[in-house]
PDB file of all heavy atoms in Angstrom:
ATOM      1  N   ILE A 124      98.386  20.136 127.944  1.00 98.00           N
ATOM      2  CA  ILE A 124      97.050  19.386 127.877  1.00 98.00           C
ATOM      3  C   ILE A 124      95.899  20.396 127.569  1.00 98.00           C
ATOM      4  O   ILE A 124      95.878  21.498 128.210  1.00 98.00           O
ATOM      5  CB  ILE A 124      96.666  18.763 129.306  1.00 98.00           C
ATOM      6  CG1 ILE A 124      97.788  17.667 129.547  1.00 98.00           C
ATOM      7  CG2 ILE A 124      95.286  18.307 129.423  1.00 98.00           C
ATOM      8  CD1 ILE A 124      97.464  16.297 128.886  1.00 98.00           C
ATOM      9  N   ASP A 125      94.985  20.047 126.743  1.00 98.00           N
ATOM     10  CA  ASP A 125      93.632  20.882 126.642  1.00 98.00           C
ATOM     11  C   ASP A 125      92.513  20.032 126.344  1.00 98.00           C
ATOM     12  O   ASP A 125      92.721  18.837 125.939  1.00 98.00           O
ATOM     13  CB  ASP A 125      93.877  21.980 125.591  1.00 98.00           C
ATOM     14  CG  ASP A 125      92.974  23.172 125.950  1.00 98.00           C
ATOM     15  OD1 ASP A 125      92.253  23.157 126.954  1.00 98.00           O
ATOM     16  OD2 ASP A 125      92.925  24.089 125.063  1.00 98.00           O
ATOM     17  N   ASP A 126      91.264  20.567 126.603  1.00 98.00           N
ATOM     18  CA  ASP A 126      90.111  19.778 126.478  1.00 98.00           C
ATOM     19  C   ASP A 126      89.718  19.530 124.967  1.00 98.00           C
ATOM     20  O   ASP A 126      89.372  18.510 124.544  1.00 98.00           O
ATOM     21  CB  ASP A 126      88.928  20.411 127.163  1.00 98.00           C
ATOM     22  CG  ASP A 126      88.641  21.812 126.858  1.00 98.00           C
ATOM     23  OD1 ASP A 126      89.472  22.505 126.219  1.00 98.00           O
ATOM     24  OD2 ASP A 126      87.559  22.295 127.228  1.00 98.00           O
ATOM     25  N   PHE A 127      90.032  20.692 124.209  1.00 98.00           N
ATOM     26  CA  PHE A 127      89.615  20.595 122.745  1.00 98.00           C
ATOM     27  C   PHE A 127      90.804  21.138 121.893  1.00 98.00           C
ATOM     28  O   PHE A 127      91.483  22.027 122.385  1.00 98.00           O
ATOM     29  CB  PHE A 127      88.367  21.542 122.464  1.00 98.00           C
ATOM     30  CG  PHE A 127      87.096  20.889 122.647  1.00 98.00           C
ATOM     31  CD1 PHE A 127      86.457  20.977 123.902  1.00 98.00           C
ATOM     32  CD2 PHE A 127      86.488  20.244 121.622  1.00 98.00           C
ATOM     33  CE1 PHE A 127      85.205  20.323 124.125  1.00 98.00           C
ATOM     34  CE2 PHE A 127      85.143  19.731 121.852  1.00 98.00           C
ATOM     35  CZ  PHE A 127      84.592  19.725 123.036  1.00 98.00           C
ATOM     36  N   LEU A 128      90.793  20.659 120.631  1.00 98.00           N
ATOM     37  CA  LEU A 128      91.684  21.226 119.647  1.00 98.00           C
ATOM     38  C   LEU A 128      90.889  21.644 118.469  1.00 98.00           C
ATOM     39  O   LEU A 128      90.090  20.744 117.930  1.00 98.00           O
ATOM     40  CB  LEU A 128      92.731  20.222 119.215  1.00 98.00           C
ATOM     41  CG  LEU A 128      93.725  20.713 118.052  1.00 98.00           C
ATOM     42  CD1 LEU A 128      94.598  21.844 118.642  1.00 98.00           C
ATOM     43  CD2 LEU A 128      94.725  19.581 117.674  1.00 98.00           C
ATOM     44  N   ALA A 129      90.769  22.944 118.225  1.00 97.00           N
ATOM     45  CA  ALA A 129      89.918  23.396 117.021  1.00 97.00           C
ATOM     46  C   ALA A 129      90.896  23.932 116.054  1.00 97.00           C
ATOM     47  O   ALA A 129      91.491  23.193 115.282  1.00 97.00           O
ATOM     48  CB  ALA A 129      88.950  24.474 117.615  1.00 97.00           C
ATOM     49  N   ASN A 130      91.206  25.280 116.071  1.00 97.00           N
ATOM     50  CA  ASN A 130      92.214  25.752 115.191  1.00 97.00           C
ATOM     51  C   ASN A 130      93.580  25.929 115.753  1.00 97.00           C
ATOM     52  O   ASN A 130      94.470  26.432 115.152  1.00 97.00           O
ATOM     53  CB  ASN A 130      91.717  27.229 114.688  1.00 97.00           C
ATOM     54  CG  ASN A 130      90.486  27.073 113.776  1.00 97.00           C
ATOM     55  OD1 ASN A 130      90.393  26.212 112.913  1.00 97.00           O
ATOM     56  ND2 ASN A 130      89.478  27.849 114.008  1.00 97.00           N
ATOM     57  N   GLY A 131      93.761  25.503 116.955  1.00 97.00           N
ATOM     58  CA  GLY A 131      95.095  25.367 117.495  1.00 97.00           C
ATOM     59  C   GLY A 131      95.583  26.612 118.203  1.00 97.00           C
ATOM     60  O   GLY A 131      96.776  26.557 118.682  1.00 97.00           O
ATOM     61  N   SER A 132      94.857  27.650 118.339  1.00 97.00           N
ATOM     62  CA  SER A 132      95.386  28.875 118.894  1.00 97.00           C
ATOM     63  C   SER A 132      95.751  28.788 120.295  1.00 97.00           C
ATOM     64  O   SER A 132      96.820  29.153 120.801  1.00 97.00           O
ATOM     65  CB  SER A 132      94.311  30.014 118.714  1.00 97.00           C
ATOM     66  OG  SER A 132      94.921  31.196 119.018  1.00 97.00           O
ATOM     67  N   ALA A 133      94.981  28.083 121.131  1.00 97.00           N
ATOM     68  CA  ALA A 133      95.258  27.912 122.654  1.00 97.00           C
ATOM     69  C   ALA A 133      96.537  27.145 122.778  1.00 97.00           C
ATOM     70  O   ALA A 133      97.462  27.564 123.456  1.00 97.00           O
ATOM     71  CB  ALA A 133      94.019  27.371 123.297  1.00 97.00           C
ATOM     72  N   SER A 134      96.579  25.942 122.123  1.00 98.00           N
ATOM     73  CA  SER A 134      97.743  25.110 122.210  1.00 98.00           C
ATOM     74  C   SER A 134      98.987  25.698 121.750  1.00 98.00           C
ATOM     75  O   SER A 134     100.083  25.617 122.297  1.00 98.00           O
ATOM     76  CB  SER A 134      97.478  23.845 121.557  1.00 98.00           C
ATOM     77  OG  SER A 134      96.479  23.065 122.138  1.00 98.00           O
ATOM     78  N   LEU A 135      98.849  26.481 120.602  1.00 98.00           N
ATOM     79  CA  LEU A 135      99.973  27.193 120.078  1.00 98.00           C
ATOM     80  C   LEU A 135     100.552  28.256 121.110  1.00 98.00           C
ATOM     81  O   LEU A 135     101.755  28.353 121.164  1.00 98.00           O
ATOM     82  CB  LEU A 135      99.599  27.786 118.679  1.00 98.00           C
ATOM     83  CG  LEU A 135     100.762  28.295 117.901  1.00 98.00           C
ATOM     84  CD1 LEU A 135     101.661  27.120 117.388  1.00 98.00           C
ATOM     85  CD2 LEU A 135     100.276  29.072 116.636  1.00 98.00           C
ATOM     86  N   GLY A 136      99.588  28.930 121.682  1.00 98.00           N
ATOM     87  CA  GLY A 136      99.985  29.927 122.613  1.00 98.00           C
ATOM     88  C   GLY A 136     100.829  29.256 123.850  1.00 98.00           C
ATOM     89  O   GLY A 136     101.809  29.806 124.320  1.00 98.00           O
ATOM     90  N   LEU A 137     100.344  28.111 124.224  1.00 98.00           N
ATOM     91  CA  LEU A 137     101.106  27.363 125.323  1.00 98.00           C
ATOM     92  C   LEU A 137     102.415  26.925 124.809  1.00 98.00           C
ATOM     93  O   LEU A 137     103.401  26.895 125.640  1.00 98.00           O
ATOM     94  CB  LEU A 137     100.220  26.138 125.796  1.00 98.00           C
ATOM     95  CG  LEU A 137      98.846  26.527 126.453  1.00 98.00           C
ATOM     96  CD1 LEU A 137      98.045  25.383 126.764  1.00 98.00           C
ATOM     97  CD2 LEU A 137      99.155  27.355 127.791  1.00 98.00           C
ATOM     98  N   VAL A 138     102.546  26.436 123.561  1.00 98.00           N
ATOM     99  CA  VAL A 138     103.841  26.005 123.004  1.00 98.00           C
ATOM    100  C   VAL A 138     104.803  27.128 123.058  1.00 98.00           C
ATOM    101  O   VAL A 138     105.937  27.086 123.420  1.00 98.00           O
ATOM    102  CB  VAL A 138     103.661  25.489 121.580  1.00 98.00           C
ATOM    103  CG1 VAL A 138     104.981  25.351 120.880  1.00 98.00           C
ATOM    104  CG2 VAL A 138     102.895  24.113 121.627  1.00 98.00           C
ATOM    105  N   LYS A 139     104.314  28.412 122.597  1.00 98.00           N
ATOM    106  CA  LYS A 139     105.119  29.578 122.546  1.00 98.00           C
ATOM    107  C   LYS A 139     105.651  29.956 123.984  1.00 98.00           C
ATOM    108  O   LYS A 139     106.831  30.099 124.168  1.00 98.00           O
ATOM    109  CB  LYS A 139     104.321  30.722 122.095  1.00 98.00           C
ATOM    110  CG  LYS A 139     105.166  32.078 122.076  1.00 98.00           C
ATOM    111  CD  LYS A 139     104.275  33.260 121.751  1.00 98.00           C
ATOM    112  CE  LYS A 139     105.107  34.517 121.837  1.00 98.00           C
ATOM    113  NZ  LYS A 139     105.444  34.966 123.100  1.00 98.00           N
ATOM    114  N   ILE A 140     104.801  29.735 124.990  1.00 98.00           N
ATOM    115  CA  ILE A 140     105.113  30.069 126.367  1.00 98.00           C
ATOM    116  C   ILE A 140     106.315  29.111 126.818  1.00 98.00           C
ATOM    117  O   ILE A 140     107.220  29.550 127.406  1.00 98.00           O
ATOM    118  CB  ILE A 140     103.948  30.100 127.265  1.00 98.00           C
ATOM    119  CG1 ILE A 140     103.137  31.347 127.078  1.00 98.00           C
ATOM    120  CG2 ILE A 140     104.306  29.835 128.738  1.00 98.00           C
ATOM    121  CD1 ILE A 140     101.793  31.460 127.805  1.00 98.00           C
ATOM    122  N   VAL A 141     106.190  27.888 126.496  1.00 98.00           N
ATOM    123  CA  VAL A 141     107.167  26.847 126.899  1.00 98.00           C
ATOM    124  C   VAL A 141     108.510  27.191 126.175  1.00 98.00           C
ATOM    125  O   VAL A 141     109.546  27.237 126.816  1.00 98.00           O
ATOM    126  CB  VAL A 141     106.793  25.443 126.583  1.00 98.00           C
ATOM    127  CG1 VAL A 141     107.895  24.481 126.827  1.00 98.00           C
ATOM    128  CG2 VAL A 141     105.570  25.023 127.417  1.00 98.00           C
ATOM    129  N   LYS A 142     108.484  27.484 124.903  1.00 98.00           N
ATOM    130  CA  LYS A 142     109.635  27.865 124.147  1.00 98.00           C
ATOM    131  C   LYS A 142     110.344  29.126 124.624  1.00 98.00           C
ATOM    132  O   LYS A 142     111.527  29.248 124.751  1.00 98.00           O
ATOM    133  CB  LYS A 142     109.326  27.877 122.668  1.00 98.00           C
ATOM    134  CG  LYS A 142     109.033  26.470 122.101  1.00 98.00           C
ATOM    135  CD  LYS A 142     108.886  26.400 120.639  1.00 98.00           C
ATOM    136  CE  LYS A 142     108.762  25.038 120.122  1.00 98.00           C
ATOM    137  NZ  LYS A 142     108.329  24.943 118.667  1.00 98.00           N
ATOM    138  N   ASP A 143     109.454  30.077 124.977  1.00 98.00           N
ATOM    139  CA  ASP A 143     110.033  31.379 125.447  1.00 98.00           C
ATOM    140  C   ASP A 143     110.781  31.202 126.790  1.00 98.00           C
ATOM    141  O   ASP A 143     111.732  31.933 127.048  1.00 98.00           O
ATOM    142  CB  ASP A 143     108.990  32.441 125.688  1.00 98.00           C
ATOM    143  CG  ASP A 143     108.357  32.976 124.417  1.00 98.00           C
ATOM    144  OD1 ASP A 143     108.909  32.802 123.313  1.00 98.00           O
ATOM    145  OD2 ASP A 143     107.400  33.802 124.368  1.00 98.00           O
ATOM    146  N   ALA A 144     110.289  30.188 127.496  1.00 98.00           N
ATOM    147  CA  ALA A 144     110.977  29.871 128.732  1.00 98.00           C
ATOM    148  C   ALA A 144     112.336  29.037 128.482  1.00 98.00           C
ATOM    149  O   ALA A 144     112.974  28.785 129.452  1.00 98.00           O
ATOM    150  CB  ALA A 144     110.082  29.088 129.702  1.00 98.00           C
ATOM    151  N   GLY A 145     112.463  28.691 127.336  1.00 98.00           N
ATOM    152  CA  GLY A 145     113.637  27.902 126.986  1.00 98.00           C
ATOM    153  C   GLY A 145     113.445  26.291 127.278  1.00 98.00           C
ATOM    154  O   GLY A 145     114.328  25.580 127.180  1.00 98.00           O
ATOM    155  N   GLY A 146     112.160  25.974 127.502  1.00 98.00           N
ATOM    156  CA  GLY A 146     111.868  24.603 127.861  1.00 98.00           C
ATOM    157  C   GLY A 146     111.598  23.764 126.606  1.00 98.00           C
ATOM    158  O   GLY A 146     111.622  24.379 125.513  1.00 98.00           O
ATOM    159  N   ARG A 147     111.284  22.506 126.811  1.00 98.00           N
ATOM    160  CA  ARG A 147     111.097  21.671 125.711  1.00 98.00           C
ATOM    161  C   ARG A 147     109.523  21.253 125.795  1.00 98.00           C
ATOM    162  O   ARG A 147     109.026  20.985 126.856  1.00 98.00           O
ATOM    163  CB  ARG A 147     111.845  20.450 125.860  1.00 98.00           C
ATOM    164  CG  ARG A 147     111.736  19.318 124.910  1.00 98.00           C
ATOM    165  CD  ARG A 147     112.638  18.129 125.187  1.00 98.00           C
ATOM    166  NE  ARG A 147     112.202  17.092 124.365  1.00 98.00           N
ATOM    167  CZ  ARG A 147     111.237  16.203 124.754  1.00 98.00           C
ATOM    168  NH1 ARG A 147     110.796  16.268 126.057  1.00 98.00           N
ATOM    169  NH2 ARG A 147     110.815  15.181 123.874  1.00 98.00           N
ATOM    170  N   VAL A 148     108.881  21.053 124.532  1.00 98.00           N
ATOM    171  CA  VAL A 148     107.529  20.582 124.616  1.00 98.00           C
ATOM    172  C   VAL A 148     107.637  19.086 124.372  1.00 98.00           C
ATOM    173  O   VAL A 148     108.098  18.565 123.457  1.00 98.00           O
ATOM    174  CB  VAL A 148     106.705  21.249 123.519  1.00 98.00           C
ATOM    175  CG1 VAL A 148     105.306  20.645 123.413  1.00 98.00           C
ATOM    176  CG2 VAL A 148     106.674  22.750 123.573  1.00 98.00           C
ATOM    177  N   ALA A 149     107.142  18.301 125.416  1.00 98.00           N
ATOM    178  CA  ALA A 149     107.155  16.902 125.435  1.00 98.00           C
ATOM    179  C   ALA A 149     106.030  16.442 124.452  1.00 98.00           C
ATOM    180  O   ALA A 149     106.068  15.297 123.918  1.00 98.00           O
ATOM    181  CB  ALA A 149     106.930  16.269 126.788  1.00 98.00           C
TER     182      ALA A 149
END
Side-chain angles (χ1 to χ4, degrees):
I124 292 281
D125 205 4
D126 57 345
F127 274 90
L128 181 63
N130 290 316
S132 186
S134 296
L135 192 65
L137 295 172
V138 168
K139 175 186 181 293
I140 283 175
V141 173
K142 289 186 174 172
D143 285 353
R147 178 182 165 271
V148 177

